[in-house]
Amino acid sequence: AERFYLAVSTTWGARREDMSAIEWPDYDGEVLIIHVSKHGPTNRNFVPEVLRPIFASYRGMPLTINGLTSMYRRIVAKAGLHLPTGYGWHSIRRTVETVILRDIVVAGLPPSWIADWMGWSKTSKVSRFIGAAMAGIYDHPEIFHDDPWGQQKEVIKVHSFLKVWAEVASQAPAAS
């Protein structure tokens, strides 16, 4: 459970409210649906190959918000970290936003893609990028007309946290 929720959090920057709403019909082996709680769209996310074994191996009951808070504290303790009061899943969300935005910009992709990746509402996307409805015009979604996951696959290629998950997976002992 810890690996599953940590993977969701470090990949899409999901809020704990959103993670608590994930049910197993929301994952079909390739796509994870995240029901965004803060006026955003329901996010259909292409699950990167490196995370699929983690997602396939966890079929527990969805956790409550308080259960997720307790889990976060356990993860931090297992990592040997001592975080000040106030740190939680949302701290990961803000870190993901910062790091992935940098990854996107360095790769020459439109910065506004971070809003789509993290499930921001159209209003938030517009107010953050350019301050006008023109933000969507600069995304050029038409370049992916033959692949509905094209934009997400481009972000996956540059996503720093997914590179860490791949490194961890490569060091894991082989299943017997």
Side-chain angles (χ1 to χ4, degrees), residues 68-141:
L68 282 163
T69 298
S70 295
M71 176 184 284
Y72 180 84
R73 291 182 186 134
R74 279 194 314 272
I75 292 169
V76 168
K78 285 180 182 181
L81 301 173
H82 303 284
L83 299 177
T85 302
Y87 281 72
W89 291 107
H90 211 78
S91 304
I92 296 175
R93 179 176 173 77
R94 290 294 164 228
T95 301
V96 168
E97 176 187 345
T98 301
V99 172
I100 306 313
L101 179 57
R102 183 207 61 212
D103 294 342
I104 288 170
V105 169
V106 167
L109 303 171
S112 61
W113 283 11
I114 190 69
D116 299 326
W117 182 260
M118 294 185 67
W120 294 1
S121 68
K122 288 182 182 181
T123 305
S124 295
K125 181 177 179 179
V126 167
S127 66
R128 172 84 182 264
F129 299 99
I130 305 173
M134 297 295 289
I137 293 173
Y138 298 111
D139 287 350
H140 299 291

Side-chain angles (χ1 to χ4, degrees), residues 2-12 51 54-55 165:
E2 291 172 355
R3 287 171 42 115
F4 173 81
Y5 287 107
L6 190 59
V8 171
S9 181
T10 59
T11 301
W12 294 285
L51 299 182
I54 294 168
F55 284 35
W165 281 106

Side-chain angles (χ1 to χ4, degrees), residues 6 11 20 22 28 37 58 60 63 93 102 110 115 117 134 137 145-146 157-158 166 168:
L6 190 59
T11 301
S20 73
I22 295 172
D28 68 4
S37 59
Y58 179 64
L63 295 178
R93 179 176 173 77
R102 183 207 61 212
W117 182 260
M134 297 295 289
I137 293 173
H145 69 276
D146 60 338
K157 287 179 192 175
V158 301
V168 169

